[in-house]
Amino acid sequence: MAGISSILLGKGLKPWIFLSVAVSLSLLLMAVGGNQTTESARSRTAEILAILANPFGSLSGYLHLRGENERLRAANSQLMLKASRADEAFKENERLRRLLDFEEQSDLRLIAAGVIARDPLPGVRSLLINVGRILGVEKHMAVINDRGLVGKVVRVGPRTSVVQLLMDRNLGAAVRLENSRADGITTWEGSTFLLIEGIPVSANVKLGEQVLTSGLDGIFPEGIPVGEVLRIDRLPQSLFLRIELKPAVDFAGLEEILIVRQKNTPIVIP
Amino acid sequence: MNRFLIILAGLVLLIVQSTLLSRFNLFGIKPDLVVLFVVGRSLAEGPSAGVVWGFAFGLLLDAMSSGLLGLGALTYSLAGFLAGQIAPSRGQSRLSYLMALALAALLSFGIFMYFSEPIEDIGWLTPLLLRALPSAILTWILGLIWAFTPFSVFNIDD
């Protein structure tokens, strides 16, 4: 015990004072982290770091193809969304549910963006992307790629934004199983798959069934592919199924993404 | 060593960590170059400097992340402090550096894991054994290689 004390106090009290100040400041930042001033300062710092990070992000090669690739992915995603919605609409027609206003649902616009940096802090799943407020990005907008749902925008600067990935413990999406029509919410428990909560044991869920966003959370538009059912467990004495979901998106290989924006949202130029 | 060059080296490591290294992320396992940098500075300049470097670079990483503001600053400050307390003096001993690095890396990955993994649902053991520990070992191996390069803290005259 005396040995530990001598090690810890061997360099005097100065380091302890530094540590106390640093810890206090960190905790203070954690407490006030959500306010406008700190978020603005955070966005501006990210803008500067993005300028430095951009050359590194471009080292992956095919730089000259990036613009073309983004355009193709945007077109592909538009088609994917249309096909997905058409399929949804067809099934709803079959069930004589004609109350859905499809024209309003398809009133979406996509903003192409490149990934500058990802997961800067170990364990925190996020992306720093190269578009911001100037191009019409806003907080809570859905983020997709040509495969499906990626996450949502959580912080916006003039030219950069931070995206929270779906594989993050603090983000869930309202989803619907394509065939059984059961609604649930995705959660992440630290593995390579997602879980769907809230699906009752009475639901007729099949392995491989497609899972789409339901739009019930008011953030993610309806009909975006989220993944497919990987495993179904009936837990004893539980009213709900435990469903593992294989994400449609390869989160490790994200290069370009698309931000979903309502067409009638005005672009605000600061 | 020129302080400007140290800041530049730290920024390069920070950016490489969040751009190039992120592509080699395997099941959430990846090394942490910033903890290497902070431990290196802590050994070269002492624990107080380690806290300052850790706080500053942690805050920069917080700006790029969607996580809690202050989490990086807190974690790397603690890592810098711990490393400086373990190492005897100005980075003369590679063994103490490696021991300091191992503990600092494990501490920082442990803190990040606590804040980012759903511990309340899956418990401590799985993320600790499957992600925090392998990531800390990977960081330690990189640190071991770095300790024997011409750019290590043992060869830099501060």
Side-chain angles (χ1 to χ4, degrees):
Chain A
M1 198 65 192
I4 293 170
S5 303
S6 64
I7 287 171
L8 293 178
L9 294 172
K11 290 171 192 296
L13 283 174
K14 195 179 156 196
W16 287 96
I17 296 168
F18 271 79
L19 181 68
S20 304
V21 172
V23 169
S24 304
L25 279 175
S26 303
L27 294 176
L28 186 70
L29 286 170
M30 285 182 185
V32 300
N35 75 27
Q36 203 174 351
T37 314
T38 53
E39 288 298 284
S40 170
R42 210 174 173 185
S43 295
R44 284 177 198 283
T45 313
E47 294 268 315
I48 297 164
L49 289 171
I51 294 168
L52 298 171
N54 245 334
F56 286 87
S58 304
L59 282 178
S60 56
Y62 63 88
L63 183 64
H64 59 289
L65 292 174
R66 185 167 277 183
E68 182 68 16
N69 205 4
E70 280 180 13
R71 279 195 295 278
L72 289 171
R73 279 175 192 268
N76 192 19
S77 295
Q78 288 277 17
L79 289 170
M80 176 202 71
L81 280 177
K82 280 181 184 169
S84 178
R85 290 219 172 78
D87 195 34
E88 280 285 284
F90 178 73
K91 283 175 179 161
E92 283 173 351
N93 285 341
E94 277 185 331
R95 292 186 301 275
L96 301 175
R97 289 168 58 191
R98 294 178 187 279
L99 294 174
L100 183 68
D101 184 357
F102 188 75
E103 280 186 15
E104 193 180 320
Q105 287 284 320
S106 61
D107 196 22
L108 298 173
R109 207 183 123 183
L110 299 174
I111 303 167
V115 175
I116 298 172
R118 75 187 79 188
D119 305 341
L121 287 177
V124 181
R125 274 78 181 170
S126 59
L127 303 174
L128 180 66
I129 58 170
N130 64 359
V131 294
R133 206 178 300 121
I134 289 172
L135 285 178
V137 180
E138 286 173 26
K139 202 172 171 180
H140 300 310
M141 281 181 169
V143 178
I144 62 170
N145 76 352
D146 56 328
R147 298 287 183 87
L149 187 65
V150 172
K152 73 166 185 176
V153 176
V154 288
R155 205 165 56 249
V156 187
R159 290 175 188 82
T160 57
S161 304
V162 176
V163 175
Q164 184 179 25
L165 297 180
L166 196 58
M167 303 281 265
D168 186 291
R169 66 180 287 197
N170 296 313
L171 182 62
V175 293
R176 181 170 293 147
L177 283 94
E178 191 177 34
N179 298 321
S180 53
R181 313 305 298 168
D183 285 322
I185 296 171
T186 63
T187 59
W188 180 72
E189 286 192 354
S191 47
T192 53
F193 54 82
L194 294 163
L195 292 176
I196 308 178
E197 288 184 347
I199 306 286
V201 286
S202 57
N204 186 24
V205 183
K206 297 276 192 307
L207 284 176
E209 187 172 347
Q210 291 299 307
V211 179
L212 310 169
T213 51
S214 67
L216 295 177
D217 49 24
I219 294 173
F220 303 113
E222 186 180 356
I224 299 171
V226 180
E228 64 177 47
V229 174
L230 191 66
R231 184 174 163 170
I232 307 159
D233 288 324
R234 289 173 193 278
L235 303 174
Q237 295 179 334
S238 176
L239 297 172
F240 302 102
L241 294 170
R242 184 185 185 279
I243 298 176
E244 289 178 8
L245 169 67
K246 183 186 174 194
V249 170
D250 172 18
F251 289 94
L254 288 170
E255 295 279 349
E256 288 90 22
I257 49 142
L258 298 147
I259 297 157
V260 182
R261 196 167 82 84
Q262 302 293 334
K263 258 184 186 165
N264 54 6
T265 311
I267 296 177
V268 180
I269 298 174
Chain B
M1 192 181 181
N2 187 325
R3 196 155 290 272
F4 173 75
L5 286 179
I6 296 171
I7 294 171
L8 192 68
L11 283 174
V12 168
L13 289 175
L14 180 148
I15 287 165
V16 167
Q17 172 168 314
S18 44
T19 52
L20 302 177
L21 267 191
S22 298
R23 291 170 203 279
F24 304 106
N25 183 344
L26 188 69
F27 304 116
I29 302 164
K30 68 170 187 176
D32 187 345
L33 299 183
V34 175
V35 85
L36 270 181
F37 172 75
V38 171
V39 169
R41 292 326 305 159
S42 190
L43 258 75
E45 299 181 56
S48 303
V51 171
V52 175
W53 285 109
F55 184 82
F57 277 82
L59 213 52
L60 289 178
L61 282 172
D62 281 333
M64 298 170 82
S65 151
S66 70
L68 202 57
L69 178 63
L71 175 61
L74 175 73
T75 308
Y76 291 119
S77 301
L78 288 169
F81 175 80
L82 182 69
Q85 291 292 343
I86 291 167
S89 61
R90 296 184 63 79
Q92 294 305 306
S93 157
R94 281 191 171 88
L95 184 68
S96 62
Y97 157 72
L98 291 171
M99 197 172 83
L101 178 62
L103 289 174
L106 199 58
L107 173 82
S108 67
F109 279 109
I111 295 173
F112 285 128
M113 187 195 73
Y114 178 78
F115 280 94
S116 63
E117 303 265 358
I119 301 291
E120 63 276 15
D121 296 323
I122 57 173
W124 270 95
L125 205 58
T126 307
L128 183 73
L129 292 179
L130 294 185
R131 282 180 287 278
L133 196 59
S135 296
I137 291 169
L138 206 54
T139 304
W140 187 83
I141 291 169
L142 275 186
L144 180 69
I145 296 166
W146 181 50
F148 293 94
T149 67
F151 306 106
S152 81
V153 284
F154 309 106
N155 301 300
I156 294 168
D157 182 18
D158 287 282

